[in-house]
Amino acid sequence: MTHRTVKSFADAARPEDLFHGQWQYNRTSALDDYKPYLDDRWNEGATNAWKLWEEIVPLGYKGSYGIVSAYIGRSAPHPEQSPHSHRHPAW
């Protein structure tokens, strides 16, 4: 750890003071206004990011497909791992 890192930790009055620049999670996104729509469509069973992107472009979305795809990827439920998902040799 560099002396600058140690100094920034020591100088911070509270943990929130350490978050700045690219690590801020409160930044707005071009997708923010469309997330409720995407969430509703996801809950209706629409899981194809390309199709969803095509649906929100006519609604005024100016962002990229990649942003929509990344958002949908984070929304996707992760299937529970089955006990048989890892095969072990039967020796």
Side-chain angles (χ1 to χ4, degrees), residues 14-34:
R14 54 198 175 112
E16 293 82 16
D17 295 339
L18 296 171
F19 301 115
H20 54 83
Q22 67 178 347
W23 302 111
Q24 289 180 339
Y25 292 103
N26 59 354
R27 291 187 293 179
T28 60
S29 162
L31 193 60
D32 286 346
D33 292 339
Y34 304 92

Side-chain angles (χ1 to χ4, degrees), residues 3 5 13 17 19 22-23 25 29 32-33 36 42 49 57 63 68 73-74 76-77 81 83 87-89 91:
H3 71 280
T5 303
D17 295 339
F19 301 115
Q22 67 178 347
W23 302 111
Y25 292 103
S29 162
D32 286 346
D33 292 339
W42 176 268
V57 167
V68 175
R74 285 191 294 271
Q81 200 170 40
R87 300 225 175 231
H88 297 284
W91 310 342

Side-chain angles (χ1 to χ4, degrees), residues 29-55:
S29 162
L31 193 60
D32 286 346
D33 292 339
Y34 304 92
K35 286 179 180 178
Y37 176 84
L38 293 173
D39 293 340
D40 289 345
R41 293 290 290 127
W42 176 268
N43 292 331
E44 292 169 0
T47 58
N48 183 308
W50 184 263
K51 296 283 186 189
L52 292 170
W53 177 76
E54 288 180 328
E55 290 179 21

